[in-house]
Amino acid sequence: SVSIDLTKEEKAIKRLGFPPIEVSVGCEFDVVVFSDKSGYYNGSLAAGYENALKKDLLKSIKDEAAAYACRIESTCPGGFMVNLSGIKCFLPGSLAAANRIIDFQSFVGKTLNVMIEMYDEKRDIFVVSFKKYLKHIIDRKVEDLSLTHEYTGTVTGTSPAGVFVEWDQYY
């Protein structure tokens, strides 16, 4: 038999940022089982949830339709650290917006839809991309534009041919 300390698991789940898990008779869970020094077997729902989610994320690298909401938690060299359902991921600055980012700090706390770009085994971290998500939905979003509506945006860059303007996070 395997012992699962639900009080300990609830704390671990909350600390990791996973959604709350409701346990009732008949529920099935992915559980990671390990033995302690005394030879007793213990189970972890939090570790099981994390393993199951990582398997899904690995599968979604090839799935062109799998998108996830993530929360930008902090800036780091080259981009952002984001929380995707309790899994820490890296969002490169070059993949975080449609255009060049002017103020990285203004992104902290925002929620973005992203797709999985790759898994870096060496660093044990998923790399996510808003631009990959944008490529997936942009045709549909462009169809939603109206020639009679006035849009307000922010200039994010210039070139000899014109300017780059961003509005509504997608354009």
Side-chain angles (χ1 to χ4, degrees):
S1 66
V2 175
S3 171
I4 298 176
D5 181 344
L6 289 180
T7 304
K8 184 178 175 183
E9 287 299 306
E10 285 176 2
K11 288 178 185 176
I13 288 166
K14 186 175 182 179
R15 180 177 40 80
L16 293 170
F18 296 147
I21 296 176
E22 293 185 28
V23 179
S24 61
V25 175
C27 289
E28 292 185 15
F29 294 100
D30 289 313
V31 176
V32 172
V33 178
F34 55 93
S35 63
D36 60 20
K37 292 177 184 177
S38 62
Y40 289 104
Y41 289 99
N42 296 294
S44 173
L45 295 174
Y49 175 82
E50 183 176 13
N51 284 349
L53 181 56
K54 283 183 176 182
K55 284 179 188 175
D56 286 345
L57 295 178
L58 284 169
K59 288 179 192 172
S60 74
I61 292 172
K62 295 177 183 168
D63 182 357
E64 296 298 319
Y68 304 90
C70 70
R71 185 175 187 280
I72 298 176
E73 293 193 330
S74 63
T75 61
C76 64
F80 304 95
M81 294 307 297
V82 301
N83 182 328
L84 191 160
S85 297
I87 304 289
K88 301 289 183 210
C89 302
F90 175 63
L91 172 61
S94 62
L95 301 178
N99 294 319
R100 184 174 61 97
I101 296 175
I102 298 169
D103 179 11
F104 274 67
Q105 198 60 41
S106 68
F107 276 63
V108 175
K110 286 186 177 182
T111 298
L112 284 180
N113 290 319
V114 296
M115 296 177 90
I116 307 300
E117 190 71 31
M118 64 171 281
Y119 176 68
D120 184 341
E121 283 186 57
K122 184 178 176 184
R123 293 180 179 86
D124 187 30
I125 195 164
F126 287 93
V127 177
V128 297
S129 171
F130 172 72
K131 280 191 175 178
K132 187 174 181 179
Y133 172 74
L134 188 60
K135 282 182 186 177
H136 179 70
I137 64 154
I138 196 66
D139 290 340
R140 197 170 8 151
K141 287 290 187 182
V142 168
E143 289 175 9
D144 293 343
L145 292 175
S146 168
L147 296 176
T148 60
H149 182 80
E150 183 176 305
Y151 298 94
T152 302
T154 303
V155 175
T156 61
T158 62
S159 76
V163 296
F164 296 94
V165 178
E166 184 173 319
W167 74 94
D168 287 347
Q169 153 180 345
Y170 298 107
Y171 308 102

